Amino acid sequence: MVKLSKKKKIKKKRKGKKVSIIGTGHVGLVTGACLAELGNRVICVDNNEEKIASLNRGEIPIYEPGLEELVKRNIRAGRLSFTTNIKEGVNNSEIIFIAVNTPPKPDGEADLCFIEAVSREVAQTMKGYKIIVEKSTVPVETGKWISRTVKLNNKKSINFDIVSNPEFLREGSAVYDTMHPDRIVLGVGSKKAERIMRELYQPLDAPIIVTDIESAEIIKHASNSFLAMKISYINSIANICEKAGADIKKVAEGIPCDKRIGRDFLNAGVGFGGACLPKDLQAFVGITQRLGYDFELLKVVEKINRQQRELLVSKVRDVVWNIKDKTIGILGLAFKPNTDDMRNAPSIEIIQMLQKEEAKIKAYDPVAIPVARGILKEVTYCKDSYDTANGCDALVILTEWEEFKRLDLKKIKRLMKAPIIVDGRNIFEPEKMKRLGFIYKSIGRST
Ligand code: UDX
């Protein structure tokens, strides 16, 4: 359960705001539930009727620790409701969050059609002052476009403000991240909007950074791209460690003592995936190109990330010789632990590369198998890690789920055709694996 501090519980007694959230995906749902928990009256809107019906029953369509109880508690308390009727949301709120999805177009840039459609509908519905908050990850200058769309579609010239309030929540810890943010960024165009948004977030006791709208939009691009860069950087260092006989895990412990660098996001592996970092990086490269800047650094970040997938397959080749007809067991399909999200998961590309070389694939993930079935065909999905290891020529670890760290490795060894593990997330110690009699390959450690 995600606990609030005593201080926050007391502050919950303040008069809440009336909020609506349009788009009940990962970001919208978590934001809505958390704002309700802080004492606000929140209406979540989505045009998917089935989704809204199940949410009204307290059923959550995504796997996100702590979210289900938060939603149920706030529905019971009368602070959270769900509807397909956008008018109901707009008419009963002062602050309207736009959290619809912005899928990538074929050229990598974000498709903003849903944002435009929602802005138009809000404009046609609103009867009094509203704050329209962009919460979806959007390209810089979207705030201006929303403003223009609202002005064009509101015949009564009703006053409104646009706010850019980017989210920084991570899947798998989204509720915790929302309740304990490192910072809240508010890109505002008026003092009134700043005051109301500060009041909304006051119970969180987090640093609030107020900027103009464009700067807030760029903060989001720059933060996610920086994180992606950090991962590609450490993966490059890992590759050098391997060649030089060093150990990336020790190196990654030594670098961050310098507080200017920090320890987070220095885990080498098969590279980043998920709904945000790959998409946002690609979108930012596109945006900067349009603005007349060739962001070569970020292009290389993307390239290194692709190469990490290929590197993993070459490690499998190194230990099994010919991949053709070998049975490869995959442990971990989700793009990271504690989620069933498979978007841009390294497992997809890696399994497809192995299948191209005619490997037989068995796979297991604690929660992502139902999602994986829709994406990866000709895979034997297994009931657990041992079932996967049974009869395998090699086991490949692609997600660092806690349960994999506690595997009975002696049993795994007995079940496998050959005791080979290729660890794309560095969850085991090479010395221990050697003692147990495994041929063990990992990332950035020279064994
Ligand atoms: C990310 C940002 O962290 C978040 O602030 C933003 O709002 C949304 O995008 P998320 O996509 O949920 O969050 O996952 P994150 O925890 O950032 O991990 C992204 C990917 O990077 C995962 O595939 C993960 O395995 C990988 N990663 C992360 C590494 O390979 N090494 C690391 O050290 C950290």
Side-chain angles (χ1 to χ4, degrees):
M1 173 178 157
V2 179
K3 286 198 177 106
L4 290 181
S5 66
K6 212 171 170 187
K7 203 169 167 191
K8 282 176 187 159
K9 277 183 188 158
I10 293 164
K11 283 195 175 169
K12 255 171 58 177
K13 294 207 180 87
R14 92 201 201 287
K15 193 169 177 300
K17 303 262 176 222
K18 287 183 174 172
V19 177
S20 62
I21 315 266
I22 303 176
T24 313
H26 217 114
V27 170
L29 184 56
V30 172
T31 306
C34 290
L35 287 175
E37 178 72 7
L38 294 176
N40 302 291
R41 173 73 186 82
V42 180
I43 303 173
C44 289
V45 184
D46 202 290
N47 56 11
N48 182 334
E49 289 184 12
E50 218 174 293
K51 192 194 236 182
I52 291 299
S54 59
L55 281 165
N56 269 321
R57 293 192 298 270
E59 291 162 18
I60 307 299
I62 48 171
Y63 181 84
E64 188 60 58
L67 185 59
E68 190 166 333
E69 51 187 292
L70 202 66
V71 168
K72 284 186 172 151
R73 184 162 63 239
N74 283 284
I75 292 177
R76 272 199 307 273
R79 288 190 296 261
L80 182 62
S81 61
F82 299 92
T83 179
T84 51
N85 185 347
I86 193 167
K87 290 190 175 66
E88 187 187 329
V90 173
N91 288 334
N92 291 296
S93 56
E94 179 183 24
I95 307 172
I96 301 159
F97 282 84
I98 302 182
V100 293
N101 60 341
T102 53
K105 293 193 283 193
D107 63 0
E109 283 203 41
D111 185 344
L112 303 176
C113 287
F114 298 135
I115 303 242
E116 184 179 357
V118 166
S119 310
R120 203 181 307 125
E121 244 183 301
V122 169
Q124 287 161 353
T125 307
M126 65 191 210
K127 296 192 183 88
Y129 173 78
K130 305 284 174 197
I131 293 182
I132 301 167
V133 186
E134 48 172 60
K135 195 71 178 163
S136 309
T137 298
V138 291
V140 61
E141 295 183 334
T142 301
K144 278 187 193 151
W145 284 105
I146 297 177
S147 182
R148 180 176 172 270
T149 307
V150 175
K151 273 184 199 144
L152 276 176
N153 288 279
N154 186 270
K155 301 283 174 257
K156 293 178 188 150
S157 305
I158 286 167
N159 192 17
F160 68 93
D161 272 304
I162 303 290
V163 171
S164 164
N165 172 216
E167 55 79 23
F168 298 101
L169 56 85
R170 293 161 298 174
E171 287 184 30
S173 56
V175 174
Y176 181 87
D177 290 348
T178 307
M179 291 309 230
H180 304 87
D182 288 341
R183 80 312 208 174
I184 291 161
V185 175
L186 298 176
V188 297
S190 84
K191 280 279 163 208
K192 181 176 179 183
E194 178 185 339
R195 178 180 53 77
I196 295 172
M197 292 303 289
R198 275 186 185 277
E199 284 166 9
L200 178 72
Y201 283 121
Q202 174 236 334
L204 287 177
D205 274 340
I208 294 182
I209 291 136
V210 179
T211 67
D212 56 278
I213 294 169
E214 287 74 24
S215 299
E217 289 168 337
I218 291 273
I219 287 174
K220 173 71 191 190
H221 293 306
S223 302
N224 271 5
S225 301
F226 192 87
L227 293 174
M229 184 182 73
K230 228 178 153 183
I231 300 170
S232 282
Y233 180 78
I234 203 68
N235 280 332
S236 300
I237 300 292
N239 297 336
I240 295 162
C241 284
E242 230 169 89
K243 292 185 198 301
D247 180 336
I248 188 63
K249 279 209 151 179
K250 290 180 188 146
V251 171
E253 288 312 320
I255 304 171
C257 293
D258 185 329
K259 62 179 180 301
R260 292 169 300 178
I261 299 175
R263 173 65 185 86
D264 289 352
F265 276 65
L266 288 181
N267 295 320
V270 282
F272 53 84
C276 296
L277 295 194
K279 186 183 87 162
D280 294 356
L281 191 68
Q282 220 187 355
F284 197 26
V285 170
I287 293 160
T288 52
Q289 216 124 39
R290 208 163 20 81
L291 292 170
Y293 182 75
D294 184 15
F295 210 148
E296 284 183 88
L297 176 64
L298 291 188
K299 289 182 185 166
V300 177
V301 168
E302 275 182 324
K303 184 175 160 204
I304 295 168
N305 202 47
R306 273 197 310 277
Q307 285 170 343
Q308 287 308 108
R309 272 63 152 167
E310 288 159 13
L311 177 75
L312 198 283
V313 175
S314 74
K315 280 177 189 282
V316 175
R317 209 177 288 119
D318 284 351
V319 283
V320 302
W321 192 17
N322 297 301
I323 289 178
K324 186 173 181 327
D325 292 333
K326 296 279 170 24
T327 303
I328 312 290
I330 306 288
L331 295 185
L333 295 164
F335 84 98
K336 67 172 188 177
N338 297 323
T339 177
D340 63 351
D341 198 337
M342 292 277 300
R343 284 173 290 179
N344 294 305
S347 65
I348 300 176
E349 274 175 80
I350 290 169
I351 289 176
Q352 285 169 347
M353 281 189 254
L354 291 167
Q355 284 178 328
K356 213 167 160 196
E357 295 195 34
E358 296 180 50
K360 294 180 191 127
I361 304 292
K362 294 176 83 180
Y364 167 70
D365 186 284
V367 300
I369 289 178
V371 183
R373 280 187 202 280
I375 303 169
L376 290 160
K377 306 295 172 194
E378 288 170 46
V379 170
T380 306
Y381 292 101
C382 301
K383 66 176 193 308
D384 59 27
S385 303
Y386 303 102
D387 185 21
T388 314
N390 199 2
C392 272
D393 291 282
L395 260 188
V396 172
I397 299 164
L398 296 183
T399 317
E400 65 277 33
W401 283 95
E402 276 307 311
E403 67 171 72
F404 298 157
K405 297 178 187 168
R406 293 191 300 267
L407 283 176
D408 178 347
L409 291 167
K410 286 186 181 148
K411 184 173 168 187
I412 291 279
K413 190 171 164 227
R414 277 198 305 277
L415 288 167
M416 293 182 72
K417 207 185 277 177
I420 296 174
I421 293 187
V422 180
D423 181 357
R425 296 292 185 177
N426 287 349
I427 66 171
F428 297 124
E429 284 316 309
E431 278 307 315
K432 182 182 167 195
M433 298 306 279
K434 201 170 157 191
R435 270 202 312 278
L436 287 169
F438 279 98
I439 296 169
Y440 176 70
K441 293 267 175 186
S442 55
I443 308 284
R445 298 183 295 174
S446 57
T447 40

